[in-house]
Structure formats: C-alpha cells, structure tokens
Amino acid sequence: MAMQSLFIILIVLAVLLVIGVPISYAIGISSLAAILRIIAFDVSVLTAAQRTFVGMSKFSLTAIPFFVLAGNLMNQGGIAKKLVDFVLAILGKLPGALLVTNVGANALFGAISGSASAAAAAVGSMVQGGEEEQGYDPALCAATNGASAPSGLLIPPSNALITYSLVSGGTSVAALFLAGYIPGVIWAVCCILVSVLIAMKKGYKGTPGRFDWKNLFQATLHALPSLSLIVIVIGGIIGGIFTATEGSAIAVIYALILGICYRNITWKSLWNIVVDSAKMSGMIVFLIGVSNIMGWVMAFTQIPQAVSAALLGLTDSPVIILLIMNLILLLAGTFMDVTPAILIFTPLFLPIVKTFGMNPIQFGLILVYNLCIGNITPPVGNTLFVAVKVGRTSLAKVMPYMLLYYAAILLGLLLVTYIPAISMALPMAAGMV
C-alpha cells in the first residue's frame, strides 16, 4: 500500500506540474488522490482541510513572513553597493578582482536578503559596469554571478533552514543557523577558486597598487550598518536572547530604519514592499500548510518506512545511500523550487539517515545545499536565468563556464555530505548538540 500511494503521489504531482498547475495545488491534489484509495471522499476532504489548517497554524511560521519583509526592505534599502565596495576592498588584489568581489558580495547580500535571485540581480548590476570597462567576458561574469548567488541561502538568516526545522519535527533553528555558515562559505570559496583560475588564464588582473588599509577602513565603516543586521539577529537567536520569530521582527525594524536613513525607502515604496512581501509570504505559508496533507498521508500509509526498507534493501552502506539521495535531490532541484522540495523530501529521507546515526542538523544542510544547486540548473534555474538577463548574454554562452562552477560546487557538496564536522562543528562548539 505504501509504495502504491507513493507512486500515485509522484505520478499525479508530475502530471500536474507539467501542465502548469501551481506547486501548492499540485501537492494538495496529489496527496488527496493517494488517500482516496483507502478513505472515503468526504472524510478525505475533511482531513485534508484540517491538516492544512494545522500546518498553517504553527507559531514558528511567523518568522518566515518577517524575514521575507526584512529581505525585501534590504533589497530596496541601497545596501548592495556598500557590500560590493566592502568585499572589493578585501579581495580586490586577487586576479579577476570584480569576479571575486561578485562572489563575496553575493554571499553577504544573499544572506541578508534571503534571496539568491535578488542577490544576482542587485550585485550583478553593481559590478557589471566595471566588468564591461575592464573587458571581462560577459558570459563569464554572468556565470560567476549566477553560480555564487545561492551561497547566501545557506548563510543565516535562511528561510529554507527555518522551513526544514518545521518539517523535520522541530530541529533547533539556532543550531541550523550556526551549521549553515561553513557550508555557505565552502560554496563561496569554491566559486572564488574557479573565478581566480579562469581570471589567471584570461589575464584578468586585480586592482593595481598595494593593499589600501585606509580604503578598507572606509568601506567597512559604510558597510557596517548592513553587516550589523546579521550580527544582531543571528547573535541574538544563537545567544538565546530572543527566538527566531522575535529575531525576524527585529530584522524588519532594523531594515526599515536602515532604509529610511539611506533615504531609499519612501511611503509609496514601503507600501509596495509590504504588499509584495505579503503575497510572497502567503504563497510560502499556504504551501507549507498544503504540504502538511502530504506529510500526514506519508505517515498514515507508512511511505517513509517503505522507502527506507527499499533503500536499505539495496545496500547497507551509508556512503552509497547518501550518494543515491544526493542524486535524487539534485535531479528534483532542477525542476522544483527549494521550499516545496524540502517539504516533500524531508519526511522521506530524514528517517533513513537517522537509521545510521546522522544528526538531523547535518542532513538539513545536505538537503538545502543540494536544492540550492537547482537554483542555478536548467530547466528551472531561476537564479541562473536572472544572472543571464542581468549580464545581457545568452544561456548557451554561459553554460561552458557554469560546468566549471558546477564541478567545484559539487565537490563542496561531497565535503558537506561525508564530513559531519563541516555542519556540526559550530553547533557542537556552542553546546547545541
């Protein structure tokens, strides 16, 4: 019964997505189709409505709309240029200075804004003029911009990690936030290494002259108010001063004050930001609510146990099982957004990794890292397409460079998958594990 229910969910879900049904409706309908086999129609519909309401009623969900609003305020608040200058002052002497700066600024801005596409659009636009003046290949610039943008989704505050915390049964958000730093930095460093190697081959130099400490001091001063958001919010959550939900509200107040001080937010723009944030938040929260139907169906029909038995029947090697999971997640990420994929695959795979002693925190980072790669992989690859559009080039010209970035990022994925300390060192040092 379990595997039959799983096949119904997957087939109906795939068909609905192919014909263009929104993902939230597709998840709800496919889950309902699976349970209609064993429960009467009236009871099934009532149960589905009840599970949706329960899924949307969790207090910890409040953090997501606030972080979305804070990110949108930051996007409009004029901080991208200050972060670009800050990173350029630090890394500007490396070959391909603007490429490296693009990577570093994407990691910072993506972490602050919570959106890889926003980072690719904002930071990519900021460095584009300089890249054109210095004769950089537009396709290489677009590839660098797109490949590095998702690194910020691993660095807190991360809505993806908050969603995983909810679906995984309450894994500590603070511990997940701490665990995200090193994988996020690994992603960025992988992109920097590729950028430097390509830049050396093409002869792109760093900024001329000696390292300028005065310039670094000034750039740090200008970027400090923006960077302080991460310190205040994440430091408060990790330090136990306030919860993730309270921290998200503080992030909104801080971002609003910063935008007003920079004079980049008006009453009209503020209204548009709030409306856009409400729409985005509504979609995310409804998606989480509907996915609760699927979670209940999986639990009722014992799908996770069946999948676990099937995988463990193939092999009892954790190395091979994790490799299979990575391949499935990488494939799913190419046509599915991060949030719905987390909602679908967490209840399937988390029980399996627990059987060989993996901590849910480490699995959460493996899961999110995998799905972030889907952000830059066709056919969906929203962040990659944003980078191509900003770079005014074509996907065909960008893809040869992207293959090099994929190789480096996948190497980072293997490190995160098979070296637990990468994800667990910081939470353990903080006494959260």
Side-chain angles (χ1 to χ4, degrees):
M1 181 178 71
M3 296 308 291
Q4 291 175 343
S5 298
L6 178 60
F7 287 139
I8 290 173
I9 290 173
L10 293 178
I11 291 169
V12 174
L13 182 63
V15 170
L16 292 175
L17 291 177
V18 167
I19 64 177
V21 176
I23 183 68
S24 53
Y25 297 121
I27 288 176
I29 294 170
S30 61
S31 302
L32 191 58
I35 203 168
L36 280 173
R37 293 180 57 254
I38 48 180
I39 296 179
F41 178 78
D42 55 342
V43 179
S44 299
V45 173
L46 183 61
T47 301
Q50 182 187 49
R51 300 316 303 174
T52 302
F53 180 78
V54 169
M56 296 170 63
S57 301
K58 296 174 181 175
F59 177 73
S60 50
L61 267 180
T62 314
I64 292 178
F66 278 125
F67 274 129
V68 168
L69 178 55
N72 286 339
L73 288 168
M74 281 290 186
N75 292 345
Q76 298 291 326
I79 67 169
K81 179 68 166 63
K82 294 174 176 59
L83 294 178
V84 168
D85 292 341
F86 171 67
V87 176
L88 184 60
I90 298 174
L91 304 176
K93 299 303 175 184
L94 292 175
L98 291 177
L99 297 176
V100 175
T101 298
N102 197 159
V103 175
N106 267 342
L108 287 176
F109 190 78
I112 292 173
S113 69
S115 170
S117 297
V123 176
S125 300
M126 290 295 171
V127 299
Q128 186 177 27
E131 290 170 337
E132 290 175 350
E133 287 177 9
Q134 297 184 30
Y136 283 53
D137 182 353
L140 172 59
C141 298
T144 305
N145 186 30
S148 59
S151 61
L153 298 182
L154 292 162
I155 301 172
S158 167
N159 287 334
L161 292 177
I162 295 174
T163 303
Y164 171 78
S165 170
L166 292 167
V167 185
S168 63
T171 305
S172 168
V173 174
L176 286 168
F177 278 4
L178 264 183
Y181 278 108
I182 297 179
V185 169
I186 285 176
W187 184 308
V189 169
C190 288
C191 292
I192 287 175
L193 291 175
V194 173
S195 301
V196 169
L197 290 174
I198 297 176
M200 291 172 65
K201 184 177 180 180
K202 288 183 171 287
Y204 299 149
K205 306 294 183 183
T207 54
R210 300 178 62 185
F211 190 86
D212 191 340
W213 288 100
K214 182 180 179 181
N215 181 44
L216 175 59
F217 177 75
Q218 291 177 339
T220 304
L221 225 81
H222 290 147
L224 197 58
S226 304
L227 295 173
S228 296
L229 173 69
I230 299 177
V231 177
I232 293 171
V233 175
I234 306 306
I237 293 172
I238 293 171
I241 300 172
F242 40 74
T243 65
T245 302
E246 293 163 346
S248 65
I250 291 170
V252 170
I253 296 170
Y254 187 93
L256 180 59
I257 292 172
L258 203 60
I260 293 171
C261 290
Y262 286 158
R263 298 182 179 179
N264 288 314
I265 293 180
T266 62
W267 283 112
K268 183 178 180 180
S269 65
L270 177 60
W271 172 254
N272 292 333
I273 291 169
V274 171
V275 170
D276 290 342
S277 300
K279 290 178 180 177
M280 188 182 304
S281 300
M283 288 188 291
I284 294 172
V285 173
F286 179 66
L287 180 58
I288 292 173
V290 170
S291 71
N292 204 43
I293 307 172
M294 181 175 288
W296 183 84
V297 172
M298 287 184 178
F300 186 81
T301 58
Q302 297 186 325
I303 289 175
Q305 291 89 329
V307 173
S308 177
L311 275 179
L312 293 174
L314 292 174
T315 175
D316 59 357
S317 169
V319 173
I320 302 299
I321 291 173
L322 287 171
L323 184 61
I324 293 171
M325 287 182 181
N326 279 338
L327 291 173
I328 293 172
L329 291 171
L330 286 170
L331 178 63
T334 61
F335 61 87
M336 191 175 291
D337 199 14
V338 174
T339 300
I342 290 173
L343 299 171
I344 291 171
F345 289 102
T346 299
L348 276 178
F349 289 160
L350 183 57
I352 299 174
V353 298
K354 283 182 176 179
T355 61
F356 50 80
M358 177 177 283
N359 192 291
I361 295 171
Q362 183 190 356
F363 177 70
L365 270 300
I366 295 172
L367 177 68
V368 174
Y369 196 114
N370 266 292
L371 298 175
C372 282
I373 296 175
N375 261 329
I376 52 172
T377 309
V380 178
N382 295 329
T383 300
L384 178 60
F385 292 130
V386 169
V388 169
K389 185 176 181 180
V390 170
R392 295 198 291 270
T393 183
S394 68
L395 186 63
K397 294 178 180 178
V398 168
M399 285 310 294
Y401 293 115
M402 283 301 300
L403 295 177
L404 300 174
Y405 283 109
Y406 288 143
I409 292 167
L410 288 173
L411 177 60
L413 173 61
L414 292 176
L415 295 176
V416 173
T417 301
Y418 294 112
I419 304 178
I422 289 176
S423 301
M424 302 303 298
L426 292 181
M428 290 178 70
M432 295 181 176
V433 179

